[in-house]
């Protein structure tokens, strides 16, 4: 019996970002300005920004997660990200979605974040 709810073999768990879009680097920088209040590292370096998808109309869709579902700012953080990205010149609209699959893990942190937090 074929279980169709499982991702296809080789399908990435995290959708790829639109890294070749001219606004991509500015969106990343905006995400770097947002911090989890409990952790002194920005959410981009923590690996909480899963996907930055920018279409040809400059509509930005961001998929992000949190370090834990019970995070006290869970309801607020997507708004902080949207507020950081919206002012970028050329951005038409921003949609930030909170997702829990795949669950965030320490292996998603950048080396800078691990160093900052004393994990290296």
């Amino acid at each position: 019996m074929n279980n169709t709810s499982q991702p296809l073999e080789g399908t990435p768990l995290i959708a790829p970002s639109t890294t070749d879009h001219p606004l991509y680097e500015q969106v990343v920088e905006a995400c770097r300005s947002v911090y989890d209040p409990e952790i002194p590292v920005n959410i981009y370096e923590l690996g909480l920004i899963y996907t930055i998808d920018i279409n040809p109309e400059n509509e930005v869709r961001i998929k992000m997660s949190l370090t834990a579902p019970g995070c006290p700012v869970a309801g607020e953080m997507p708004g902080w990200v949207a507020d950081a990205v919206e002012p970028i010149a050329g951005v038409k609209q921003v949609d930030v979605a909170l997702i829990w699959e795949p669950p965030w893990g320490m292996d998603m942190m950048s080396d800078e974040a691990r160093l900052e937090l004393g994990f290296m």
Side-chain angles (χ1 to χ4, degrees), residues 10-21 24 28 44 49-55 59-63 99 101-102:
T11 301
L13 287 173
I14 297 175
S17 292
T18 320
T19 53
D20 57 349
H21 193 285
Y24 178 76
V28 167
Y44 188 83
I49 300 292
Y50 284 5
T51 304
I52 297 171
D53 179 46
I54 310 170
N55 71 16
E59 294 167 336
V60 181
R61 287 189 179 78
I62 297 174
K63 289 190 174 132
I99 60 172
E101 288 298 318

Side-chain angles (χ1 to χ4, degrees), residues 2 16 30 42 44 59 73 75 85 113 118:
N2 188 358
N42 71 68
Y44 188 83
E59 294 167 336
V73 293
V85 173

